Amino acid sequence: MVNKAVTLRVEKTLSLVPKGSVISYGALADLSGLPGRARLMGKCLREIKVDCNWHRVLRSDGKIAFPVGSDHAEEQRERLLSEGVNVNNNRVNMKKFAWSPDLHTILAKLKY
């Protein structure tokens, strides 16, 4: 079980990722004030009860973390496609679709 405060941080940070963009587990950890804790992000996402846009979180190489052909992988792929994110071979071009917050977002919206 993950600390509730940590889960809330991750939920808040992920809520800022706009539709049509993605973020890596590592970047999500960094922006949540938890540098180096990329593996913890998966645990946090499993504990968040509301629809937290989990489908926008990918591995650092842009690949969907779920096994190819699994129900979760297919759902994530479909959700990303519906937002205009191109998915080829279960991979997203991170240079094109990765979210990079602007200075205002970092200073005013991220509290960590």
Side-chain angles (χ1 to χ4, degrees):
M1 183 171 202
V2 180
N3 180 310
K4 182 72 173 168
V6 170
T7 303
L8 289 173
R9 277 190 200 186
V10 173
E11 184 178 350
K12 170 65 177 160
T13 304
L14 189 53
S15 73
L16 298 173
V17 179
K19 191 177 196 177
S21 295
V22 297
I23 190 168
S24 70
Y25 288 97
L28 180 60
D30 290 347
L31 292 172
S32 296
L34 301 161
R37 307 296 299 275
R39 290 178 188 252
L40 179 63
M41 298 302 99
K43 293 176 185 175
C44 289
L45 293 176
R46 283 191 292 275
E47 292 195 13
I48 297 173
K49 303 299 182 210
V50 297
D51 185 13
C52 64
N53 297 317
W54 59 268
H55 63 282
R56 295 181 185 151
V57 185
L58 302 169
R59 291 178 15 176
S60 61
D61 62 0
K63 288 181 83 174
I64 292 174
F66 298 108
V68 175
S70 70
D71 291 340
H72 288 304
E74 287 303 311
E75 181 181 355
Q76 186 172 17
R77 188 173 88 58
E78 290 300 320
R79 283 180 159 209
L80 290 171
L81 289 171
S82 73
E83 292 185 357
V85 176
N86 295 331
V87 181
N88 296 317
N89 296 324
N90 277 357
R91 185 180 296 229
V92 171
N93 181 341
M94 294 298 277
K95 289 181 181 175
K96 184 174 181 181
F97 293 103
W99 178 61
S100 182
D102 60 15
L103 186 59
H104 172 74
T105 300
I106 292 170
L107 296 175
K109 296 182 181 178
L110 294 173
K111 308 287 185 210
Y112 321 107

